Amino acid sequence: PFQWNPENPEFGLVANAIGMLVISMEKMIVSVVRKVMPRIHDPDAAAEAQAFLRQEALHSRAHQQHLQSLLGRYPGLAETIQEVDSSFRRIEEDNTLEFCVAYIAALEATFPPLFKMILDNHEALLAPGDARVASLFAWHFVEEIEHRSSALVVYDAVVGDPFYRLRVVVPAFTHAAGLFATLIEGFERHVPLEDRLVEAYPLLPSRSWSREITARLPLVGSRFRGRYPTAF
């Protein structure tokens, strides 16, 4: 089912968006790391890059299997996936390899705290859902934490300038957040409400944080949440 977590359907949509986003992102990672491998001369860094490359390729393939099962029921989502895929290809085509490596290092170093929070609360966020999908995300999040420094190792071996990496953080996160919003909007357009269980638009990055805060306020919070909890 598209909604694999009916007890917390907002989190189910968030996880689906993450899973679809990483398919395209990790294909870009594999492409970029392969291109910069000849520039990595330290044997330890090269070994780390190879392991990182293989692990990210495996993640992309696993989530692709999940996606294909969903596209069979909601073919309109292919349009949204193509938009995300094309955007990552443009990042690679329109920017230097240095920018791409910095982009990857910025996101890869920042996702693990989110994933650790999800794993620390797996009984509430993952366990109530379909075990096939929940275990896919748990496995992926554990491996992202395992290689949380790999992209930084690659960046330091290829570029090494910490200030350049810092400058890339804002455009990298702006781009990734924009694509997350594209996926959420795609869910709203192409997946019927009865299959989503909840509206997708409140999960847009521009709205989700204020909703999470409001849901925790005394008195109004319980009325605000309604039938289902907010994602987190």
Side-chain angles (χ1 to χ4, degrees):
F2 184 87
Q3 184 48 265
W4 60 275
N5 199 342
E7 289 189 26
N8 187 345
E10 287 196 6
F11 180 77
L13 297 187
V14 168
N16 279 351
I18 292 173
M20 294 177 190
L21 180 69
V22 301
I23 292 171
S24 300
M25 178 182 167
E26 289 174 340
K27 285 192 289 188
M28 184 193 78
I29 290 174
V30 170
S31 175
V32 169
V33 172
R34 283 176 175 162
K35 288 177 181 177
V36 301
M37 282 299 295
R39 297 167 59 175
I40 302 177
H41 304 296
D42 177 76
D44 291 337
E48 184 77 15
Q50 285 285 5
F52 176 47
L53 188 157
R54 289 194 298 269
Q55 207 167 46
E56 292 291 54
L58 184 60
H59 295 165
S60 184
R61 288 197 298 272
H63 283 282
Q64 187 72 41
Q65 291 178 330
H66 181 214
L67 174 62
Q68 289 305 315
S69 71
L70 298 179
L71 289 177
R73 298 178 65 185
Y74 312 102
L77 279 175
E79 172 189 324
T80 303
I81 299 302
Q82 180 60 42
E83 187 176 347
V84 174
D85 219 31
S86 297
S87 185
F88 274 110
R89 282 201 304 272
R90 287 194 299 273
I91 285 286
E92 190 174 351
E93 292 166 359
D94 296 347
N95 294 280
T96 64
L97 276 176
E98 287 78 8
F99 177 92
C100 293
V101 174
Y103 178 109
I104 294 166
L107 293 187
E108 285 285 318
T110 311
F111 283 150
L114 170 64
F115 297 157
K116 182 180 184 300
M117 182 273 290
I118 293 171
L119 292 170
D120 285 347
N121 294 277
H122 69 278
E123 290 292 343
L125 296 176
L126 294 173
D130 187 311
R132 296 166 298 177
V133 182
S135 61
L136 169 64
F137 284 109
W139 162 75
H140 185 176
F141 295 161
V142 166
E143 292 208 344
E144 286 294 326
I145 294 169
E146 180 185 52
H147 72 224
R148 63 191 179 277
S149 301
S150 298
L152 182 60
V153 170
V154 173
Y155 177 84
D156 286 343
V158 174
V159 183
D161 181 355
F163 298 105
Y164 179 72
R165 179 166 52 85
L166 186 62
R167 291 198 298 273
V168 173
V169 167
V170 171
F173 274 90
T174 300
H175 177 255
L179 292 182
F180 182 87
T182 296
L183 288 160
I184 292 297
E185 290 165 353
F187 296 168
E188 190 75 41
R189 286 198 307 274
H190 301 298
V191 181
L193 177 61
E194 56 266 28
D195 292 348
R196 285 184 272 117
L197 299 185
V198 290
E199 297 289 343
Y201 286 131
L203 298 171
L204 292 171
S206 59
R207 299 174 61 182
S208 59
W209 291 110
S210 62
R211 293 185 72 257
E212 291 287 353
I213 292 170
T214 305
R216 288 161 173 74
L217 294 176
L219 302 179
V220 300
S222 59
R223 294 197 300 273
F224 174 82
R225 287 191 294 272
R227 179 180 176 183
Y228 298 110
T230 56
F232 294 105

